[in-house]
Amino acid sequence: MTDDRRTASGIPVKGHYGPDDVPLSAREALAAGPGRTPFLRGAYEGMYRTKPWRIFQLSGFGNPADERERLLFLLRQGEGGIIMEHDRNTADHLYNVDHPEVVARREDVGLTGAVIIGVRDYETILEGIPIQDIYTHPGGAVVQHAPFALACFWTVAERRGIDLHRLAGTGQSDFFLTYVGCITKQQIPPRAGLRLNGDITEFCLDHLPRWVPVSIAGYNGADSGLSAPDELATVFATAVEYLDALAERGRHEPQELSHKVGGVNFRVGMDFFEDIAKLRAARKMWAELLERRYGIRDEKARQLRIHVVTAGSALTYQQPFNNIARGTIMALASVLGGVQSLGVACYDEALSIPSEHAHQMSVRIQQILQHETGIDAVADPLGGSYYLEALTSELEARAWESFDEIEQQGGFIEALDSGWLHRRAARRQSEQWDEVESNSRLIVGVNCHEIDETPFEIDGFQGTTDAWDQAMARLADVRSSRDGAAARRALHELERVCRSEENIMVPMMQAVDADVTLGEIGDVFRDVWGDWEPPIRP
Amino acid sequence: MSRVIIAKTGLDGHWRGTLLVSRALRDAGFEVIMLGMARGADIVSAAVDEDADLVGLNVGGRVEVVERILDDLAVAAPGVAVFAGGVVPPWVRRRLEARGVEVYPPGSKLADIVAAARRLTRRSPSTASEPDETPQDRDE
């Protein structure tokens, strides 16, 4: 090893740190304590003592009944909420199962999440799940999919007689997944996506006070290659786009909106201290950004709440059980950084969709941390460490530089549309992989300590094989049994509102209630907004 | 210059792997045509139209979809070699390898992938001399 040691994002690291390495601004932020601006030490005063972090895993596959079974399994294991995964083949692109693109890959359907045609499938999945009592992410990670997913979930609640005011949960509508990390076949342009996210946010302000309408997921930028400072910068550059666009509509002041936008997602990877520092820096940056840019001084309005997903890209195909150790280390960093909820990527992630056992392990890792280690007793237990404070301050400084670069590009959407962000992510991704190939970064099982793995092989989860056939049958059933005239009226109304400045969530709720299907909504969106032309087509 | 088509068999748009592999192949002197998320029929016609020497399939879904593409390629473009990568569990890897498709799962070295591309493109129709090494024959 050379003396030149750096963090994953390239910050030089010394052999030891002392009091002189902690800047004055960090000392002031430290003194404020947890639950007080600038929230360096935590979003809440009591942190895990008063509110343990929520165990919150992604899950879903196959038919709606398969997804329900897995969700119930996870709730029985001790999950604190549910995240409903949708079939990528249909949901991401807003295609019905009879779309030619889907038919060409029909065996893939249902592999990555349940196939959800419409509200009836939501009712099947949620049967027996007490949605009024748990925290739910009902899907809609991809921007154009979110209004449909949220409307389906909320409609199920209404049909059960649950007041929307009671529902707690989160949307996603994530620009990083949609336009950076997982570019879809067809997608509405980012400006149209911004409008949809604005509509969801305003709808939640009116009807769902306990709901996080959109959740900016830095994870998907970071797992595509963005460094820790870039992840921080891009998350807040996105937040600023949301706030500015909403403020321009004139219905709400930034102060009313900032709390709604302040439920975000970060990726925690294997650079233990850098990622702890990142979560701490994030809270401080958000509090300062809101005051500086919008003059918001209210404490609660500046409180950033963080969900972390541990890095799937850090998990190896080789020797997959090693990923249980990696998941534990990343979960520990997340908890020490201060999270409100956490999902641990499953140990078989590089091979397949999670098996039941891999899912259970991700829950157990978190329960072991919660019950056996005592780390939940003290908020920000590493706060005041010379090294961590120096690193937090340095990351913050670099993230502001990156934020300014994005502003110079014309803001987040411009940086996205021009491909600037993609190029930046791709370049670092190549550099990171080059480090592995040249053995300057070691990954156990990949470029060191390799073994013959046959005795420890796992199969990977195989899921169900009838999801496409079943979904075709359900689609035919919906088409023949629904009130066709009502569905057509609802679609026309949706299209009219898409072309107006009214909130699309109102006709979207009516449309899903009239059994309008996913693909029909996609057709309306494509007619109205056309397709985004991605700057890269990998 | 050998021509390689890189295509994603599924409708999952994660692009990390395909971009890394495509860049490495370009840096090594291959002409790379990136099709993105392409249907089997599009991959087959691109292989024919572009006179490709090699097709690289990024597998993000089930083996049956990949096998259909391999069957169609074997008929329409019998001289074109195929290799694969992506989220491929060991049992799928063995199934593909059994029919002559080399598989490079996550963590594979780009140097190995480039070496494989060089080796496989040496067997293009005009230069292939040993029929027992063609993918179809390995199937047996």
Side-chain angles (χ1 to χ4, degrees):
Chain A
M1 282 290 168
T2 65
D3 276 347
D4 178 34
R5 298 290 295 269
R6 289 170 186 270
T7 65
S9 77
I11 297 173
V13 176
K14 302 195 292 184
H16 63 95
Y17 285 75
D20 294 343
D21 294 306
V22 181
L24 186 63
S25 62
R27 286 165 214 242
E28 286 166 0
L30 270 172
R36 305 301 307 272
T37 47
F39 301 108
L40 174 70
R41 313 206 59 192
Y44 300 100
E45 189 186 345
M47 283 304 287
Y48 310 130
R49 263 195 205 215
T50 48
K51 209 175 172 190
W53 72 87
R54 176 179 302 110
I55 300 174
F56 208 33
Q57 296 288 140
L58 302 169
S59 58
F61 67 93
N63 296 298
D66 300 316
E67 179 139 334
R68 181 184 68 225
E69 205 175 298
R70 184 62 72 90
L71 292 172
L72 286 168
F73 170 79
L74 284 167
L75 286 168
R76 282 197 304 275
Q77 300 309 308
E79 243 205 341
I82 56 171
I83 302 179
M84 296 169 65
E85 279 294 296
H86 294 242
D87 168 54
R88 293 223 97 95
N89 302 277
T90 47
D92 288 7
H93 321 274
L94 299 183
Y95 292 155
N96 273 341
V97 278
D98 58 354
H99 190 286
E101 288 285 349
V102 179
V103 175
R105 306 155 170 99
R106 52 196 172 276
E107 293 89 349
D108 287 351
V109 168
L111 189 64
T112 56
V115 192
I116 298 175
I117 293 163
V119 70
R120 294 184 195 180
D121 289 343
Y122 262 88
E123 289 191 307
T124 306
I125 295 174
L126 296 169
E127 196 187 315
I129 297 178
I131 56 174
Q132 69 281 10
D133 299 326
I134 60 171
Y135 194 87
T136 306
H137 179 340
V142 166
V143 170
Q144 65 181 3
H145 183 241
F148 166 81
L150 294 170
C152 283
F153 181 76
W154 295 336
T155 299
V156 172
E158 284 189 332
R159 287 179 178 181
R160 288 188 189 178
I162 301 165
D163 187 343
L164 294 185
H165 278 76
R166 280 190 64 189
L167 288 181
T170 180
Q172 187 171 334
S173 304
D174 166 31
F175 273 57
F176 291 95
L177 181 72
T178 307
Y179 299 111
V180 182
C182 184
I183 292 171
T184 54
K185 194 85 189 166
Q186 288 188 287
Q187 188 69 220
I188 58 169
R191 294 272 168 211
L194 197 60
R195 183 285 179 77
L196 295 189
N197 283 3
D199 286 357
I200 293 168
T201 306
E202 289 189 338
F203 189 84
C204 288
L205 278 163
D206 291 340
H207 303 289
L208 291 112
R210 300 175 67 203
W211 200 274
V212 177
V214 294
S215 180
I216 304 165
Y219 178 96
N220 294 302
D223 238 26
S224 304
L226 292 179
S227 66
D230 283 350
E231 184 186 5
L232 287 165
T234 49
V235 162
F236 297 131
T238 315
V240 160
E241 292 270 15
Y242 289 174
L243 289 176
D244 290 351
L246 281 161
E248 204 171 296
R249 294 175 175 212
R251 282 195 58 210
H252 298 278
E253 293 296 317
Q255 178 155 332
E256 295 169 79
L257 300 162
S258 63
H259 195 74
K260 288 279 175 209
V261 174
V264 300
N265 157 318
F266 286 105
R267 165 196 186 264
V268 163
M270 287 299 286
D271 191 323
F272 193 74
F273 286 104
E274 179 162 270
D275 283 335
I276 296 172
K278 178 170 77 184
L279 304 185
R280 301 173 83 246
R283 287 187 294 269
K284 181 161 177 281
M285 289 178 71
W286 181 236
E288 289 174 1
L289 176 66
L290 290 173
E291 181 168 12
R292 197 172 65 221
R293 191 172 172 117
Y294 303 103
I296 300 172
R297 302 188 68 87
D298 179 71
E299 278 209 315
K300 190 166 191 276
R302 290 190 286 154
Q303 180 188 49
L304 188 75
R305 290 95 60 215
I306 297 175
H307 172 62
V308 160
V309 181
T310 64
S313 64
L315 304 184
T316 63
Y317 181 91
Q318 295 73 15
Q319 305 176 38
F321 290 118
N322 293 350
N323 294 327
I324 298 175
R326 293 191 179 96
T328 306
I329 291 162
M330 294 190 278
L332 180 60
S334 310
V335 170
L336 292 171
V339 291
Q340 277 58 59
S341 61
L342 176 61
V344 175
C346 296
Y347 69 74
D348 52 6
E349 170 138 348
L351 283 82
S352 68
I353 295 307
S355 65
E356 214 168 55
H357 182 254
H359 249 148
Q360 188 185 51
M361 285 309 306
S362 290
V363 173
R364 291 288 180 265
I365 286 169
Q366 301 193 50
Q367 289 164 331
I368 289 167
L369 289 172
Q370 284 182 337
H371 303 312
E372 299 183 20
T373 63
I375 56 169
D376 60 336
V378 177
D380 191 32
L382 300 183
S385 144
Y386 301 134
Y387 172 42
L388 188 65
E389 297 304 341
L391 194 54
T392 304
S393 297
E394 180 61 26
L395 260 185
E396 199 187 321
R398 289 181 181 222
W400 285 128
E401 278 172 30
S402 175
F403 184 87
D404 290 342
E405 278 184 76
I406 296 163
E407 295 276 279
Q408 282 156 21
Q409 292 296 317
F412 179 76
I413 303 257
E414 287 301 320
L416 196 68
D417 250 341
S418 68
W420 182 86
L421 256 181
H422 305 81
R423 286 192 296 276
R424 193 149 164 136
R427 191 169 56 237
R428 182 152 174 283
Q429 200 186 93
S430 285
E431 287 165 6
Q432 280 181 316
W433 189 250
D434 286 347
E435 288 171 15
V436 177
E437 297 242 335
S438 66
N439 287 349
S440 62
R441 189 157 70 94
L442 296 180
I443 300 177
V444 172
V446 173
N447 59 357
C448 64
H449 305 294
E450 298 145 272
I451 51 161
D452 169 20
E453 301 188 32
T454 330
F456 308 106
E457 204 169 80
I458 57 172
D459 280 340
F461 182 65
Q462 299 187 26
T464 54
T465 53
D466 63 346
W468 182 76
D469 295 307
Q470 296 277 342
M472 286 292 282
R474 291 200 308 282
L475 183 62
D477 180 55
V478 167
R479 281 175 177 151
S480 64
S481 64
R482 70 182 176 184
D483 177 344
R488 273 194 302 281
R489 272 197 308 278
L491 274 168
H492 283 139
E493 175 62 3
L494 178 66
E495 179 169 355
R496 184 192 70 74
V497 170
C498 285
R499 294 186 194 280
S500 77
E501 290 189 349
E502 296 166 42
N503 193 312
I504 72 140
M505 290 313 295
V506 177
M508 186 64 80
M509 294 282 284
Q510 289 159 356
V512 302
D513 196 40
D515 282 319
V516 162
T517 60
L518 176 77
E520 292 168 311
I521 285 163
D523 291 339
V524 169
F525 283 6
R526 287 183 276 271
D527 274 355
V528 173
W529 290 303
D531 287 342
W532 183 52
E533 186 54 50
I536 55 165
R537 269 211 186 272
Chain B
M1 190 192 288
S2 296
R3 269 190 187 178
V4 186
I5 286 175
I6 299 287
K8 295 174 71 66
T9 63
L11 276 176
D12 180 326
H14 286 96
W15 49 269
R16 243 187 117 111
T18 47
L19 194 70
L20 274 176
V21 168
S22 299
R23 283 187 166 190
L25 292 172
R26 271 191 195 130
D27 290 349
F30 288 89
E31 184 185 343
V32 179
I33 299 159
M34 295 177 76
L35 290 188
M37 290 173 274
R39 287 182 250 184
D42 302 327
I43 296 171
V44 171
S45 59
V48 174
D49 297 347
E50 303 286 349
D51 196 19
D53 301 291
L54 175 64
V55 172
L57 297 176
N58 174 257
V59 180
R62 289 193 185 275
V63 67
E64 291 84 356
V65 176
V66 183
E67 286 172 333
R68 196 156 54 233
I69 296 169
L70 294 175
D71 291 342
D72 293 346
L73 274 173
V75 172
V80 179
V82 183
F83 67 174
V87 180
V88 183
W91 68 273
V92 171
R93 182 179 177 171
R94 280 193 289 272
R95 195 153 138 178
L96 292 174
E97 282 171 349
R99 59 184 290 172
V101 176
E102 295 183 19
V103 178
Y104 293 86
S108 300
K109 305 238 180 344
L110 291 172
D112 293 340
I113 294 171
V114 167
R118 289 209 174 103
R119 182 162 28 80
L120 292 166
T121 51
R122 253 182 251 130
R123 278 210 305 264
S124 59
S126 54
T127 53
S129 54
E130 294 164 280
D132 61 335
E133 280 190 24
T134 61
Q136 308 94 284
D137 289 340
R138 274 210 207 170
D139 197 14
E140 280 149 28

